[in-house]
Amino acid sequence: MLKGFKNFVMRGDIVAVAVGLVIALALSTLIKAFTDAVINPIIASLQGGRSMGMGWQLGRAGNQATYLDLGAFISAVIYFLIFMAVVYFFIVVPYKHVQARRGVVVFADPGPLRVCPDCLSEDLPAAARRCRYCGADERLS
């Protein structure tokens, strides 16, 4: 039973992507709470005074609709960076390790590429004998 579950989770199709998405969404909630409760107050305190946060008021004072909230943007950038780091180090790296043990290469660097002298396409595989875009033959550089 556990072997079947393991094979189910480690398959390289849409089911594995769905499992990864569910895990990522759960992590997203946790990281969002961290940025709202910890990062936002730190950014708002950098502005000082009794302002609405780190930013500028573009319209009438106290109007939230015309407030350019730079602190919220900085918080969103920090949220994105933390989220992507967590996904990479807790989902991608272990998945690559397990798949490598099974003999499967995932998320590999692309192989060497060649350039077509006729249409200048730069994404042709090194072993290609013909350009996939213009059909140039045997003269690939």
Side-chain angles (χ1 to χ4, degrees):
M1 184 165 132
L2 290 177
K3 183 178 179 183
F5 178 73
K6 177 184 168 193
N7 290 337
F8 165 75
V9 171
M10 300 315 280
R11 288 181 56 182
D13 58 3
I14 193 70
V15 175
V17 171
V19 170
L21 180 63
V22 169
I23 293 170
L25 289 173
L27 289 172
S28 172
T29 304
L30 180 65
I31 296 168
K32 180 70 174 148
F34 172 75
T35 55
D36 287 345
V38 177
I39 302 296
N40 285 352
I42 292 172
I43 292 173
S45 71
L46 294 175
Q47 178 74 20
R50 289 192 280 160
S51 67
M52 295 190 312
M54 186 174 192
W56 298 276
Q57 184 68 51
L58 300 177
R60 190 178 34 158
N63 185 357
Q64 192 73 336
T66 59
Y67 185 72
L68 183 63
D69 194 357
L70 186 60
F73 177 73
I74 292 171
S75 177
V77 169
I78 292 170
Y79 168 81
F80 175 77
L81 292 174
I82 291 172
F83 181 74
M84 294 311 291
V86 167
V87 167
Y88 180 76
F89 289 112
F90 290 107
I91 296 175
V92 173
V93 171
Y95 183 73
K96 282 174 63 173
H97 177 69
V98 169
Q99 292 296 68
R101 288 179 53 190
R102 300 173 113 200
V104 178
V105 178
V106 292
F107 305 119
D109 293 330
L113 301 176
R114 294 173 24 184
V115 177
C116 175
D118 290 344
C119 69
L120 303 177
S121 298
E122 297 179 346
D123 61 344
L124 301 175
R129 291 185 12 190
R130 180 176 300 200
C131 177
R132 72 175 92 174
Y133 301 108
C134 71
D137 217 9
E138 309 249 348
R139 297 182 359 206
L140 296 178
S141 59

